[in-house]
Amino acid sequence: MATGPRPYTEDREVWLGVHEASAMLGVSPATLRRWSVAGKIVTFTTPGGHRRYARSTLEHLLPDAASTEPSIAALGGSTDQVVDILRASIASACPDVSWLDGADEQTRVVLALGGRTLVDGVLGYVDGSSRREREAALAPALQAAALHGRLARRRGGNLGESVAAFQRCCSLLLDVLGELACRHGLATPATTRMLARANDAADRLVVALVLAHADAPEVASR
């Protein structure tokens, strides 16, 4: 019986897309992409620019992944899922934001995209395995929070109203994360750490909104 290496092992390798690979490791697609950029996971890029991950490489990461706390994505909290949950509650939580009255479709689209960026940033911050990863994940969210503050100021919204509405949205996000942790039986210490990190991210987003609101020129009439 031959004991040497089998021929054509490359042909038998299974290559996974971003979503399949992230599901296998229990991390969000955004986190997996950041690991790829940082060189933590070797990838193959197709001629069309899509990343592919070797299943054999991912399997070697599973023992380490299993010893860590589960990611929010593994708890069923992908960015899309969390945004869908929040969308059903935000209108009732923030019914009296005066500067949104009469906002055109473009403004509402910008705010919706910004909201998604905020959620993605908080989730990435919570799931980040290092300070560098957390900061990279939160950076776009900080920019989105600043944009929110500038829009509020330009449309005549006062700072107190803007901060109060923003904080209510952040509280809704923390509630969603807490519910996910409870639903999946996450241990109390792990839940506490997750919510503490999410709260830290939310506090920084509020600061970014406040600073941008203070610096933006006010437009009295709309």
Side-chain angles (χ1 to χ4, degrees):
M1 180 181 294
T3 58
R6 297 180 181 179
Y8 311 115
T9 54
E10 297 83 0
D11 293 339
R12 281 192 290 270
E13 180 63 84
V14 177
W15 295 90
L16 304 179
V18 172
H19 292 284
E20 294 170 293
S22 62
M24 180 176 174
L25 293 180
V27 299
S28 69
T31 296
L32 185 60
R33 291 189 183 95
R34 285 193 293 272
W35 287 354
S36 302
V37 172
K40 293 185 176 182
I41 297 181
V42 177
T43 64
F44 166 75
T45 304
T46 69
H50 301 289
R51 287 194 179 96
R52 294 291 182 263
Y53 299 81
R55 176 184 285 275
S56 60
T57 299
L58 299 180
E59 287 173 346
H60 284 93
L61 298 175
L62 287 176
D64 291 336
S67 66
T68 65
E69 295 170 1
S71 68
I72 295 176
L75 297 176
S78 68
T79 298
D80 289 338
Q81 290 169 316
V82 173
V83 167
D84 286 341
I85 295 171
L86 292 176
R87 189 177 290 120
S89 305
I90 285 179
S92 59
C94 306
D96 302 317
V97 182
S98 63
W99 61 269
L100 281 176
D101 292 341
D104 57 26
E105 183 65 21
Q106 181 179 1
T107 298
R108 293 185 179 276
V109 168
V110 168
L111 288 173
L113 292 174
R116 192 185 190 289
T117 301
L118 291 168
V119 171
D120 192 53
V122 172
L123 300 189
Y125 188 83
V126 171
D127 280 346
S129 60
S130 67
R131 181 179 180 84
R132 181 177 180 179
E133 279 189 10
R134 292 193 292 273
E135 293 302 319
L138 195 63
L142 291 170
Q143 294 177 2
L147 175 60
H148 191 106
R150 288 193 295 270
L151 278 173
R153 173 79 172 187
R154 290 169 183 170
R155 292 185 58 81
N158 67 69
L159 181 58
E161 176 189 41
S162 301
V163 170
F166 196 84
Q167 287 181 323
R168 286 197 294 272
C169 293
C170 289
S171 294
L172 286 174
L173 175 56
L174 292 174
D175 288 344
V176 170
L177 297 182
E179 290 174 5
L180 286 172
C182 290
R183 188 184 310 154
H184 291 271
L186 194 63
T188 299
T191 300
T192 301
R193 284 189 290 271
M194 178 183 73
L195 294 179
R197 189 174 287 181
N199 192 68
D200 177 49
D203 286 345
R204 291 178 59 184
L205 295 176
V206 172
V207 171
L209 180 146
V210 170
L211 294 176
H213 190 286
D215 289 341
E218 182 177 4
V219 178
S221 59
R222 288 180 273 149

